[in-house]
PDB file of all heavy atoms in Angstrom:
ATOM      1  N   ASP P 183     -51.826 200.595 -97.367  1.00  0.00           N
ATOM      2  CA  ASP P 183     -51.742 201.619 -96.316  1.00  0.00           C
ATOM      3  C   ASP P 183     -53.097 201.787 -95.614  1.00  0.00           C
ATOM      4  O   ASP P 183     -53.155 201.985 -94.423  1.00  0.00           O
ATOM      5  CB  ASP P 183     -51.383 202.971 -97.026  1.00  0.00           C
ATOM      6  CG  ASP P 183     -49.925 202.939 -97.519  1.00  0.00           C
ATOM      7  OD1 ASP P 183     -49.188 202.047 -97.057  1.00  0.00           O
ATOM      8  OD2 ASP P 183     -49.587 203.808 -98.316  1.00  0.00           O
ATOM      9  N   ALA P 184     -54.189 201.738 -96.401  1.00  0.00           N
ATOM     10  CA  ALA P 184     -55.534 201.816 -95.778  1.00  0.00           C
ATOM     11  C   ALA P 184     -55.745 200.691 -94.759  1.00  0.00           C
ATOM     12  O   ALA P 184     -56.281 200.894 -93.708  1.00  0.00           O
ATOM     13  CB  ALA P 184     -56.610 201.820 -96.821  1.00  0.00           C
ATOM     14  N   VAL P 185     -55.375 199.497 -95.167  1.00  0.00           N
ATOM     15  CA  VAL P 185     -55.556 198.312 -94.300  1.00  0.00           C
ATOM     16  C   VAL P 185     -54.715 198.509 -92.984  1.00  0.00           C
ATOM     17  O   VAL P 185     -55.226 198.257 -91.912  1.00  0.00           O
ATOM     18  CB  VAL P 185     -55.115 197.029 -95.023  1.00  0.00           C
ATOM     19  CG1 VAL P 185     -55.015 195.810 -94.026  1.00  0.00           C
ATOM     20  CG2 VAL P 185     -56.088 196.715 -96.137  1.00  0.00           C
ATOM     21  N   ALA P 186     -53.481 198.920 -93.137  1.00  0.00           N
ATOM     22  CA  ALA P 186     -52.666 199.148 -91.955  1.00  0.00           C
ATOM     23  C   ALA P 186     -53.184 200.185 -91.039  1.00  0.00           C
ATOM     24  O   ALA P 186     -53.198 200.116 -89.804  1.00  0.00           O
ATOM     25  CB  ALA P 186     -51.203 199.485 -92.394  1.00  0.00           C
ATOM     26  N   ARG P 187     -53.695 201.301 -91.643  1.00  0.00           N
ATOM     27  CA  ARG P 187     -54.315 202.354 -90.865  1.00  0.00           C
ATOM     28  C   ARG P 187     -55.523 201.871 -90.094  1.00  0.00           C
ATOM     29  O   ARG P 187     -55.734 202.317 -88.939  1.00  0.00           O
ATOM     30  CB  ARG P 187     -54.601 203.530 -91.794  1.00  0.00           C
ATOM     31  CG  ARG P 187     -55.126 204.748 -91.043  1.00  0.00           C
ATOM     32  CD  ARG P 187     -55.099 206.014 -91.976  1.00  0.00           C
ATOM     33  NE  ARG P 187     -55.890 205.756 -93.143  1.00  0.00           N
ATOM     34  CZ  ARG P 187     -55.321 205.601 -94.385  1.00  0.00           C
ATOM     35  NH1 ARG P 187     -54.037 205.661 -94.504  1.00  0.00           N
ATOM     36  NH2 ARG P 187     -56.069 205.401 -95.440  1.00  0.00           N
ATOM     37  N   GLN P 188     -56.371 201.065 -90.714  1.00  0.00           N
ATOM     38  CA  GLN P 188     -57.539 200.607 -90.016  1.00  0.00           C
ATOM     39  C   GLN P 188     -57.161 199.684 -88.846  1.00  0.00           C
ATOM     40  O   GLN P 188     -57.813 199.718 -87.824  1.00  0.00           O
ATOM     41  CB  GLN P 188     -58.417 199.843 -91.060  1.00  0.00           C
ATOM     42  CG  GLN P 188     -58.942 200.748 -92.157  1.00  0.00           C
ATOM     43  CD  GLN P 188     -59.689 201.930 -91.621  1.00  0.00           C
ATOM     44  OE1 GLN P 188     -60.356 201.858 -90.629  1.00  0.00           O
ATOM     45  NE2 GLN P 188     -59.603 203.088 -92.330  1.00  0.00           N
ATOM     46  N   LYS P 189     -56.140 198.942 -89.025  1.00  0.00           N
ATOM     47  CA  LYS P 189     -55.708 198.017 -87.935  1.00  0.00           C
ATOM     48  C   LYS P 189     -55.155 198.890 -86.744  1.00  0.00           C
ATOM     49  O   LYS P 189     -55.448 198.541 -85.598  1.00  0.00           O
ATOM     50  CB  LYS P 189     -54.616 197.086 -88.437  1.00  0.00           C
ATOM     51  CG  LYS P 189     -55.075 195.998 -89.407  1.00  0.00           C
ATOM     52  CD  LYS P 189     -53.962 195.093 -89.850  1.00  0.00           C
ATOM     53  CE  LYS P 189     -53.522 194.240 -88.647  1.00  0.00           C
ATOM     54  NZ  LYS P 189     -52.476 193.233 -89.045  1.00  0.00           N
ATOM     55  N   ARG P 190     -54.444 199.910 -87.039  1.00  0.00           N
ATOM     56  CA  ARG P 190     -53.965 200.802 -85.974  1.00  0.00           C
ATOM     57  C   ARG P 190     -55.123 201.463 -85.236  1.00  0.00           C
ATOM     58  O   ARG P 190     -55.140 201.593 -84.012  1.00  0.00           O
ATOM     59  CB  ARG P 190     -53.021 201.838 -86.489  1.00  0.00           C
ATOM     60  CG  ARG P 190     -51.642 201.299 -86.987  1.00  0.00           C
ATOM     61  CD  ARG P 190     -50.631 202.396 -87.184  1.00  0.00           C
ATOM     62  NE  ARG P 190     -51.054 203.352 -88.147  1.00  0.00           N
ATOM     63  CZ  ARG P 190     -50.781 203.216 -89.473  1.00  0.00           C
ATOM     64  NH1 ARG P 190     -50.057 202.156 -89.912  1.00  0.00           N
ATOM     65  NH2 ARG P 190     -51.140 204.093 -90.354  1.00  0.00           N
ATOM     66  N   VAL P 191     -56.164 201.928 -85.985  1.00  0.00           N
ATOM     67  CA  VAL P 191     -57.308 202.558 -85.384  1.00  0.00           C
ATOM     68  C   VAL P 191     -58.042 201.587 -84.457  1.00  0.00           C
ATOM     69  O   VAL P 191     -58.425 201.876 -83.312  1.00  0.00           O
ATOM     70  CB  VAL P 191     -58.222 203.115 -86.429  1.00  0.00           C
ATOM     71  CG1 VAL P 191     -59.584 203.516 -85.877  1.00  0.00           C
ATOM     72  CG2 VAL P 191     -57.603 204.276 -87.187  1.00  0.00           C
ATOM     73  N   ALA P 192     -58.232 200.333 -84.997  1.00  0.00           N
ATOM     74  CA  ALA P 192     -58.911 199.326 -84.174  1.00  0.00           C
ATOM     75  C   ALA P 192     -58.129 199.011 -82.907  1.00  0.00           C
ATOM     76  O   ALA P 192     -58.721 198.767 -81.823  1.00  0.00           O
ATOM     77  CB  ALA P 192     -59.116 198.034 -85.004  1.00  0.00           C
ATOM     78  N   GLN P 193     -56.825 198.950 -83.018  1.00  0.00           N
ATOM     79  CA  GLN P 193     -56.007 198.659 -81.812  1.00  0.00           C
ATOM     80  C   GLN P 193     -56.075 199.799 -80.789  1.00  0.00           C
ATOM     81  O   GLN P 193     -56.252 199.516 -79.593  1.00  0.00           O
ATOM     82  CB  GLN P 193     -54.543 198.388 -82.216  1.00  0.00           C
ATOM     83  CG  GLN P 193     -53.647 197.957 -81.060  1.00  0.00           C
ATOM     84  CD  GLN P 193     -52.251 197.653 -81.535  1.00  0.00           C
ATOM     85  OE1 GLN P 193     -51.966 197.782 -82.733  1.00  0.00           O
ATOM     86  NE2 GLN P 193     -51.407 197.267 -80.625  1.00  0.00           N
ATOM     87  N   ARG P 194     -56.013 200.992 -81.236  1.00  0.00           N
ATOM     88  CA  ARG P 194     -56.124 202.108 -80.297  1.00  0.00           C
ATOM     89  C   ARG P 194     -57.475 202.170 -79.665  1.00  0.00           C
ATOM     90  O   ARG P 194     -57.611 202.417 -78.461  1.00  0.00           O
ATOM     91  CB  ARG P 194     -55.851 203.424 -81.046  1.00  0.00           C
ATOM     92  CG  ARG P 194     -54.405 203.624 -81.376  1.00  0.00           C
ATOM     93  CD  ARG P 194     -54.107 205.113 -81.753  1.00  0.00           C
ATOM     94  NE  ARG P 194     -54.899 205.551 -82.934  1.00  0.00           N
ATOM     95  CZ  ARG P 194     -54.466 205.503 -84.113  1.00  0.00           C
ATOM     96  NH1 ARG P 194     -53.257 205.024 -84.411  1.00  0.00           N
ATOM     97  NH2 ARG P 194     -55.235 205.927 -85.149  1.00  0.00           N
ATOM     98  N   LEU P 195     -58.531 201.851 -80.409  1.00  0.00           N
ATOM     99  CA  LEU P 195     -59.893 201.836 -79.827  1.00  0.00           C
ATOM    100  C   LEU P 195     -60.010 200.717 -78.717  1.00  0.00           C
ATOM    101  O   LEU P 195     -60.595 200.989 -77.675  1.00  0.00           O
ATOM    102  CB  LEU P 195     -60.904 201.552 -80.949  1.00  0.00           C
ATOM    103  CG  LEU P 195     -62.383 201.471 -80.527  1.00  0.00           C
ATOM    104  CD1 LEU P 195     -62.840 202.784 -79.833  1.00  0.00           C
ATOM    105  CD2 LEU P 195     -63.265 201.165 -81.693  1.00  0.00           C
ATOM    106  N   ALA P 196     -59.454 199.549 -79.024  1.00  0.00           N
ATOM    107  CA  ALA P 196     -59.478 198.492 -78.033  1.00  0.00           C
ATOM    108  C   ALA P 196     -58.713 198.868 -76.792  1.00  0.00           C
ATOM    109  O   ALA P 196     -59.153 198.594 -75.640  1.00  0.00           O
ATOM    110  CB  ALA P 196     -58.954 197.226 -78.655  1.00  0.00           C
ATOM    111  N   GLU P 197     -57.571 199.521 -76.951  1.00  0.00           N
ATOM    112  CA  GLU P 197     -56.764 199.911 -75.774  1.00  0.00           C
ATOM    113  C   GLU P 197     -57.524 200.953 -74.926  1.00  0.00           C
ATOM    114  O   GLU P 197     -57.492 200.873 -73.688  1.00  0.00           O
ATOM    115  CB  GLU P 197     -55.469 200.475 -76.236  1.00  0.00           C
ATOM    116  CG  GLU P 197     -54.523 199.367 -76.844  1.00  0.00           C
ATOM    117  CD  GLU P 197     -53.241 200.004 -77.411  1.00  0.00           C
ATOM    118  OE1 GLU P 197     -53.155 201.241 -77.485  1.00  0.00           O
ATOM    119  OE2 GLU P 197     -52.371 199.195 -77.810  1.00  0.00           O
ATOM    120  N   ARG P 198     -58.175 201.933 -75.612  1.00  0.00           N
ATOM    121  CA  ARG P 198     -58.891 202.935 -74.847  1.00  0.00           C
ATOM    122  C   ARG P 198     -60.082 202.294 -74.083  1.00  0.00           C
ATOM    123  O   ARG P 198     -60.373 202.700 -72.983  1.00  0.00           O
ATOM    124  CB  ARG P 198     -59.421 204.032 -75.809  1.00  0.00           C
ATOM    125  CG  ARG P 198     -58.251 204.962 -76.264  1.00  0.00           C
ATOM    126  CD  ARG P 198     -58.891 206.237 -76.837  1.00  0.00           C
ATOM    127  NE  ARG P 198     -59.682 205.994 -78.040  1.00  0.00           N
ATOM    128  CZ  ARG P 198     -59.199 205.954 -79.290  1.00  0.00           C
ATOM    129  NH1 ARG P 198     -57.963 206.192 -79.465  1.00  0.00           N
ATOM    130  NH2 ARG P 198     -60.076 205.780 -80.300  1.00  0.00           N
ATOM    131  N   GLN P 199     -60.786 201.393 -74.736  1.00  0.00           N
ATOM    132  CA  GLN P 199     -61.899 200.764 -74.059  1.00  0.00           C
ATOM    133  C   GLN P 199     -61.442 199.898 -72.901  1.00  0.00           C
ATOM    134  O   GLN P 199     -62.067 199.881 -71.796  1.00  0.00           O
ATOM    135  CB  GLN P 199     -62.647 199.895 -75.054  1.00  0.00           C
ATOM    136  CG  GLN P 199     -63.360 200.672 -76.133  1.00  0.00           C
ATOM    137  CD  GLN P 199     -64.064 199.734 -77.131  1.00  0.00           C
ATOM    138  OE1 GLN P 199     -63.764 198.545 -77.129  1.00  0.00           O
ATOM    139  NE2 GLN P 199     -64.890 200.303 -78.003  1.00  0.00           N
ATOM    140  N   ALA P 200     -60.292 199.223 -73.047  1.00  0.00           N
ATOM    141  CA  ALA P 200     -59.735 198.484 -71.914  1.00  0.00           C
ATOM    142  C   ALA P 200     -59.376 199.357 -70.748  1.00  0.00           C
ATOM    143  O   ALA P 200     -59.638 198.995 -69.568  1.00  0.00           O
ATOM    144  CB  ALA P 200     -58.549 197.585 -72.395  1.00  0.00           C
ATOM    145  N   GLU P 201     -58.737 200.492 -71.011  1.00  0.00           N
ATOM    146  CA  GLU P 201     -58.346 201.413 -69.999  1.00  0.00           C
ATOM    147  C   GLU P 201     -59.528 201.995 -69.256  1.00  0.00           C
ATOM    148  O   GLU P 201     -59.576 202.083 -68.022  1.00  0.00           O
ATOM    149  CB  GLU P 201     -57.540 202.552 -70.617  1.00  0.00           C
ATOM    150  CG  GLU P 201     -57.020 203.584 -69.590  1.00  0.00           C
ATOM    151  CD  GLU P 201     -56.189 204.670 -70.271  1.00  0.00           C
ATOM    152  OE1 GLU P 201     -55.954 204.557 -71.478  1.00  0.00           O
ATOM    153  OE2 GLU P 201     -55.725 205.560 -69.521  1.00  0.00           O
ATOM    154  N   ALA P 202     -60.646 202.332 -70.052  1.00  0.00           N
ATOM    155  CA  ALA P 202     -61.835 202.881 -69.435  1.00  0.00           C
ATOM    156  C   ALA P 202     -62.501 201.824 -68.528  1.00  0.00           C
ATOM    157  O   ALA P 202     -62.965 202.103 -67.436  1.00  0.00           O
ATOM    158  CB  ALA P 202     -62.800 203.346 -70.508  1.00  0.00           C
ATOM    159  N   GLN P 203     -62.544 200.573 -68.986  1.00  0.00           N
ATOM    160  CA  GLN P 203     -63.169 199.555 -68.172  1.00  0.00           C
ATOM    161  C   GLN P 203     -62.371 199.261 -66.956  1.00  0.00           C
ATOM    162  O   GLN P 203     -62.949 199.021 -65.814  1.00  0.00           O
ATOM    163  CB  GLN P 203     -63.345 198.298 -69.030  1.00  0.00           C
ATOM    164  CG  GLN P 203     -64.358 198.385 -70.155  1.00  0.00           C
ATOM    165  CD  GLN P 203     -64.382 197.194 -71.054  1.00  0.00           C
ATOM    166  OE1 GLN P 203     -63.601 196.274 -70.873  1.00  0.00           O
ATOM    167  NE2 GLN P 203     -65.309 197.162 -71.991  1.00  0.00           N
ATOM    168  N   ALA P 204     -61.060 199.357 -67.039  1.00  0.00           N
ATOM    169  CA  ALA P 204     -60.200 199.091 -65.833  1.00  0.00           C
ATOM    170  C   ALA P 204     -60.453 200.205 -64.795  1.00  0.00           C
ATOM    171  O   ALA P 204     -60.496 199.971 -63.609  1.00  0.00           O
ATOM    172  CB  ALA P 204     -58.740 198.984 -66.260  1.00  0.00           C
ATOM    173  N   LYS P 205     -60.493 201.439 -65.319  1.00  0.00           N
ATOM    174  CA  LYS P 205     -60.783 202.548 -64.338  1.00  0.00           C
ATOM    175  C   LYS P 205     -62.104 202.431 -63.666  1.00  0.00           C
ATOM    176  O   LYS P 205     -62.279 202.691 -62.497  1.00  0.00           O
ATOM    177  CB  LYS P 205     -60.653 203.854 -65.101  1.00  0.00           C
ATOM    178  CG  LYS P 205     -59.193 204.276 -65.533  1.00  0.00           C
ATOM    179  CD  LYS P 205     -59.184 205.566 -66.232  1.00  0.00           C
ATOM    180  CE  LYS P 205     -57.772 205.936 -66.622  1.00  0.00           C
ATOM    181  NZ  LYS P 205     -57.781 207.279 -67.352  1.00  0.00           N
ATOM    182  N   ALA P 206     -63.117 202.017 -64.518  1.00  0.00           N
ATOM    183  CA  ALA P 206     -64.434 201.835 -63.932  1.00  0.00           C
ATOM    184  C   ALA P 206     -64.475 200.742 -62.856  1.00  0.00           C
ATOM    185  O   ALA P 206     -65.079 200.850 -61.755  1.00  0.00           O
ATOM    186  CB  ALA P 206     -65.430 201.550 -65.018  1.00  0.00           C
ATOM    187  N   ALA P 207     -63.747 199.640 -63.120  1.00  0.00           N
ATOM    188  CA  ALA P 207     -63.707 198.527 -62.156  1.00  0.00           C
ATOM    189  C   ALA P 207     -63.037 199.021 -60.880  1.00  0.00           C
ATOM    190  O   ALA P 207     -63.375 198.662 -59.743  1.00  0.00           O
ATOM    191  CB  ALA P 207     -62.968 197.380 -62.791  1.00  0.00           C
ATOM    192  N   ALA P 208     -61.882 199.818 -60.991  1.00  0.00           N
ATOM    193  CA  ALA P 208     -61.188 200.202 -59.808  1.00  0.00           C
ATOM    194  C   ALA P 208     -62.064 201.168 -58.989  1.00  0.00           C
ATOM    195  O   ALA P 208     -62.081 201.130 -57.748  1.00  0.00           O
ATOM    196  CB  ALA P 208     -59.900 200.939 -60.259  1.00  0.00           C
ATOM    197  N   ALA P 209     -62.845 202.060 -59.703  1.00  0.00           N
ATOM    198  CA  ALA P 209     -63.686 202.962 -58.956  1.00  0.00           C
ATOM    199  C   ALA P 209     -64.825 202.167 -58.244  1.00  0.00           C
ATOM    200  O   ALA P 209     -65.186 202.470 -57.105  1.00  0.00           O
ATOM    201  CB  ALA P 209     -64.289 204.017 -59.918  1.00  0.00           C
ATOM    202  N   ALA P 210     -65.331 201.150 -58.891  1.00  0.00           N
ATOM    203  CA  ALA P 210     -66.401 200.361 -58.302  1.00  0.00           C
ATOM    204  C   ALA P 210     -65.873 199.592 -57.061  1.00  0.00           C
ATOM    205  O   ALA P 210     -66.535 199.435 -55.985  1.00  0.00           O
ATOM    206  CB  ALA P 210     -66.980 199.378 -59.293  1.00  0.00           C
ATOM    207  N   ALA P 211     -64.654 199.068 -57.146  1.00  0.00           N
ATOM    208  CA  ALA P 211     -64.054 198.342 -56.028  1.00  0.00           C
ATOM    209  C   ALA P 211     -63.788 199.288 -54.866  1.00  0.00           C
ATOM    210  O   ALA P 211     -63.968 198.910 -53.703  1.00  0.00           O
ATOM    211  CB  ALA P 211     -62.777 197.663 -56.475  1.00  0.00           C
ATOM    212  N   ALA P 212     -63.391 200.523 -55.153  1.00  0.00           N
ATOM    213  CA  ALA P 212     -63.068 201.443 -54.060  1.00  0.00           C
ATOM    214  C   ALA P 212     -64.343 201.927 -53.351  1.00  0.00           C
ATOM    215  O   ALA P 212     -64.336 202.208 -52.172  1.00  0.00           O
ATOM    216  CB  ALA P 212     -62.377 202.642 -54.669  1.00  0.00           C
ATOM    217  N   SER P 213     -65.469 201.921 -54.121  1.00  0.00           N
ATOM    218  CA  SER P 213     -66.734 202.375 -53.463  1.00  0.00           C
ATOM    219  C   SER P 213     -67.492 201.265 -52.773  1.00  0.00           C
ATOM    220  O   SER P 213     -68.480 201.470 -52.163  1.00  0.00           O
ATOM    221  CB  SER P 213     -67.602 203.006 -54.490  1.00  0.00           C
ATOM    222  OG  SER P 213     -67.924 202.069 -55.498  1.00  0.00           O
ATOM    223  N   THR P 214     -67.035 200.026 -52.854  1.00  0.00           N
ATOM    224  CA  THR P 214     -67.761 198.888 -52.231  1.00  0.00           C
ATOM    225  C   THR P 214     -67.526 198.945 -50.696  1.00  0.00           C
ATOM    226  O   THR P 214     -66.359 199.003 -50.223  1.00  0.00           O
ATOM    227  CB  THR P 214     -67.214 197.521 -52.764  1.00  0.00           C
ATOM    228  OG1 THR P 214     -67.372 197.565 -54.223  1.00  0.00           O
ATOM    229  CG2 THR P 214     -67.971 196.352 -52.202  1.00  0.00           C
ATOM    230  N   PRO P 215     -68.560 198.856 -49.871  1.00  0.00           N
ATOM    231  CA  PRO P 215     -68.403 198.904 -48.383  1.00  0.00           C
ATOM    232  C   PRO P 215     -67.646 197.704 -47.906  1.00  0.00           C
ATOM    233  O   PRO P 215     -67.808 196.592 -48.409  1.00  0.00           O
ATOM    234  CB  PRO P 215     -69.818 198.947 -47.865  1.00  0.00           C
ATOM    235  CG  PRO P 215     -70.684 198.387 -48.946  1.00  0.00           C
ATOM    236  CD  PRO P 215     -69.980 198.750 -50.248  1.00  0.00           C
ATOM    237  N   ALA P 216     -66.847 197.924 -46.848  1.00  0.00           N
ATOM    238  CA  ALA P 216     -66.076 196.811 -46.267  1.00  0.00           C
ATOM    239  C   ALA P 216     -66.987 195.800 -45.554  1.00  0.00           C
ATOM    240  O   ALA P 216     -68.039 196.183 -44.984  1.00  0.00           O
ATOM    241  CB  ALA P 216     -65.075 197.406 -45.310  1.00  0.00           C
TER     242      ALA P 216
END
């Protein structure tokens, strides 16, 4: 159970980091001058 719980925590952490990086990239692209 501990092993499975650690895997779920790692997966959620990776998903949150990917979402944050995607939002940062979108914000940077929107602020780039034409």
Side-chain angles (χ1 to χ4, degrees):
D183 291 343
V185 170
R187 185 166 55 253
Q188 296 306 325
K189 291 182 67 176
R190 290 194 298 270
V191 169
Q193 183 176 0
R194 288 197 297 269
L195 177 61
E197 290 174 354
R198 287 198 296 269
Q199 290 178 349
E201 183 179 356
Q203 292 176 355
K205 289 181 179 180
S213 61
T214 303

